[in-house]
Amino acid sequence: MNPPPPPPPPQNTSNLFNTDKDAQASIFKVEALKTRNFLFGIAVVYFIGNALPVIIAGGSGGSIAISLIVSIVFAGMGLLATTQPYIAALISAVLLVIMLILLAAAMTALSGPTWVLMLPWIIFLVAVGLEIAAFKSANKAEQARKLMV
């Protein structure tokens, strides 16, 4: 009996793309979309976490409007991230720092049950986690962009 033929050599993955620029363009697109999704996530978390409790409690329309405006700004940063992911992540980080300052100032004037006082901080921490993930993806996208040139 003859021994079985040897297995074929592994396919070279560099053949999947015409050039290295195509590979980097693909990486840029994927990472930019990840950045966009993380920034959209911040918008959704912020709106759900801040506006829905106000709506349920029958709060003021001003609080709902502020939550909606902030969410729209973060969604806009998500749209910007499809073409300029690093700039979008940087601007949203600056917005989060401003929100931290405003949140700390607002918390000094509030009193109430512990869960009510903890909810904005929990939302902020979730937003920071999403922002860190957005920065990681934006950094990968920018590295791919530099290699495309």
Side-chain angles (χ1 to χ4, degrees), residues 20 26 32 40 44 49 51-52 60 64 90 107 115 126 139:
D20 193 40
S26 176
F40 280 166
V44 169
L52 286 184
S60 69
I64 297 169
L90 187 62
M107 283 297 164
W115 71 270
V126 169
N139 191 28

Side-chain angles (χ1 to χ4, degrees), residues 21-124:
K21 287 185 180 182
D22 290 342
Q24 296 306 320
S26 176
I27 291 170
F28 174 80
K29 183 178 178 182
V30 168
E31 294 301 331
L33 291 178
K34 283 182 185 179
T35 304
R36 180 200 67 186
N37 292 342
F38 288 130
L39 295 176
F40 280 166
I42 293 173
V44 169
V45 165
Y46 189 81
F47 184 74
I48 289 174
N50 288 319
L52 286 184
V54 172
I55 293 170
I56 292 170
S60 69
S63 298
I64 297 169
I66 290 171
S67 294
L68 183 62
I69 290 169
V70 170
S71 296
I72 289 172
V73 168
F74 277 108
M77 291 300 105
L79 292 176
L80 176 64
T82 56
T83 58
Q84 298 291 329
Y86 199 77
I87 292 172
L90 187 62
I91 292 171
S92 64
V94 170
L95 292 174
L96 280 176
V97 169
I98 292 170
M99 288 173 45
L100 173 66
I101 293 167
L102 294 175
L103 179 62
M107 283 297 164
T108 60
L110 293 179
S111 63
T114 305
W115 71 270
V116 172
L117 296 176
M118 291 304 294
L119 184 62
W121 291 107
I122 293 169
I123 294 166
F124 182 78

